[in-house]
Amino acid sequence: MNTLNKQTITLAIAAFLWIAQTENTSAKRAPAADAGGHNKRGIELAEQKQYDAAVAEFTKAIQASPKDPRGYNNRGTAYRASGKLAEAAGDFSKAIEIAPKDYIGYMERGETEVMQNQFDAALADLDKAVQLKPDEAVSYKFRGFAEIGLTQWDRAVADFTTAIEKNPNDPQSYDRRAWANRNLKNYDAAIADYTAMIEKNPPDAEPLVKRGATYVSMTQYEKAIADYEAALKLKPDDYDTVQRLQYAQGMLAARNAPPPTATPIPKEAPGLITPLNIGIAIAVLVIIAVVARLVTRGKSEGEASSGRIR
């Protein structure tokens, strides 16, 4: 789940900038809608990652236009980017209340619910976002995240595929589709997605490492080693990749090692107590007994004759 949360946190900031662009466009068409320019200043502060200051500006925008859902959506994304997920969800809920037919509130609340591991609730919101605006790639991507959280791998692959069709330049959709395919053991499909990511952004070591890990799952250790070595050239101090490389090298060496030569088992020397030795011992005892008997008989007869009266 840590991987999922890391990805969605990145998406939270990206989504804010996307909303910001939308808001700037709207402001140009209807400047009176942003009384005092608070939304615009808040967006500029958020782009500089000054989220607390951005929240203050969006709060002023809400106070100036309490029926404008943009102020709540923008403040919600600023809250979320700073890790205040409960406050963010509350703002998105207010935006939905004001504009129930606007997909943005559902999409943003759905993403926030994914970050809170509330995957079922996220699916409901993101389903609504897709229904209201089926051409928006971001909603499919967020829904794919929720489906990954619920281990609904097939559905996640389908949503990320739709997201890629609508926005083929988003590396996160390729990355998460590859992850879902790896869990389905569709390794060739995962390799194709990681390869696309590598081609789109050659300086990024992460897809090389992930493709290497997929090759390991396929027991194609030579290809995995090549990917890990290429990743270490880009990021030499990555200890995790070093360990992965050593593991792949060890597995390859073990597979290529010659089979062990069979060593004959030495026969144990026979002990003293054997049937033959027992037989010999019995024979010796019998002979001794016979000899002793003969000696004893001879002696007795000699003693008897010496006492005879002649």
Side-chain angles (χ1 to χ4, degrees):
M1 195 62 62
N2 291 337
T3 303
L4 178 63
N5 287 339
K6 178 182 177 181
Q7 291 287 339
T8 49
I9 288 170
T10 304
L11 286 170
I13 299 171
F16 185 91
L17 298 178
W18 176 79
I19 291 294
Q21 293 167 1
T22 302
E23 293 304 329
N24 281 331
T25 303
S26 299
K28 290 176 182 177
R29 289 199 304 262
D34 186 15
H38 297 297
N39 269 316
K40 183 179 179 180
R41 281 199 294 273
I43 288 166
E44 292 170 351
L45 290 165
E47 289 175 336
Q48 298 167 17
K49 299 184 180 181
Q50 298 181 34
Y51 299 120
D52 289 339
V55 164
E57 286 297 326
F58 292 136
T59 299
K60 293 176 182 177
I62 291 168
Q63 291 169 347
S65 302
K67 295 299 183 181
D68 186 350
R70 295 182 307 166
Y72 292 100
N73 282 325
N74 281 332
R75 190 173 68 176
T77 52
Y79 274 137
R80 186 178 59 213
S82 62
K84 298 177 180 179
L85 301 183
E87 291 87 343
D91 271 353
F92 296 134
S93 295
K94 185 64 177 179
I96 292 169
E97 179 185 329
I98 294 170
K101 294 184 179 181
D102 184 353
Y103 82 101
I104 294 176
Y106 296 100
M107 185 190 71
E108 297 293 350
R109 189 172 69 178
E111 181 191 352
T112 306
E113 289 161 341
V114 167
M115 296 177 69
Q116 294 173 306
N117 296 335
Q118 298 175 7
F119 302 118
D120 290 315
L123 278 182
D125 276 340
L126 294 165
D127 284 344
K128 186 67 174 178
V130 168
Q131 177 187 344
L132 290 169
K133 192 171 183 180
D135 293 334
E136 179 52 59
V138 178
S139 298
Y140 292 97
K141 179 168 67 173
F142 290 166
R143 190 167 70 177
F145 272 84
E147 287 156 351
I148 283 180
L150 293 169
T151 66
Q152 297 178 3
W153 309 116
D154 287 314
R155 292 183 61 183
V157 167
D159 270 342
F160 288 123
T161 298
T162 302
I164 289 169
E165 290 170 354
K166 297 181 182 300
N167 182 9
N169 295 318
D170 184 357
Q172 289 176 324
S173 293
Y174 290 95
D175 179 78
R176 294 295 84 192
R177 185 173 69 175
W179 174 245
N181 272 315
R182 282 175 63 181
N183 281 276
L184 290 168
K185 301 189 186 303
N186 295 334
Y187 296 126
D188 288 333
I191 292 293
D193 278 342
Y194 290 134
T195 300
M197 294 175 65
I198 293 165
E199 292 172 350
K200 289 176 182 294
N201 188 13
D204 187 1
E206 187 173 353
L208 281 164
V209 174
K210 291 179 178 179
R211 190 174 69 174
T214 308
Y215 279 133
V216 167
S217 298
M218 301 168 74
T219 68
Q220 296 184 17
Y221 300 116
E222 296 93 338
K223 293 181 178 180
I225 290 169
D227 274 351
Y228 291 146
E229 288 176 341
L232 286 170
K233 289 179 181 178
L234 296 170
K235 197 175 179 181
D237 298 329
D238 191 337
Y239 182 65
D240 179 66
T241 303
V242 171
Q243 287 187 311
R244 289 175 181 272
L245 173 61
Q246 291 173 345
Y247 174 80
Q249 290 171 331
M251 294 299 291
L252 180 62
R255 186 172 67 185
N256 293 338
T261 305
T263 304
I265 300 175
K267 294 182 180 180
E268 294 184 2
L272 294 176
I273 301 175
T274 64
L276 178 61
N277 288 345
I278 292 173
I280 293 172
I282 292 173
V284 170
L285 290 174
V286 170
I287 291 170
I288 293 173
V290 171
V291 171
R293 177 63 178 163
L294 291 175
V295 171
T296 304
R297 277 185 66 184
K299 185 176 180 181
S300 298
E301 289 175 356
E303 289 176 353
S305 60
S306 64
R308 189 178 298 170
I309 298 175
R310 295 186 182 271

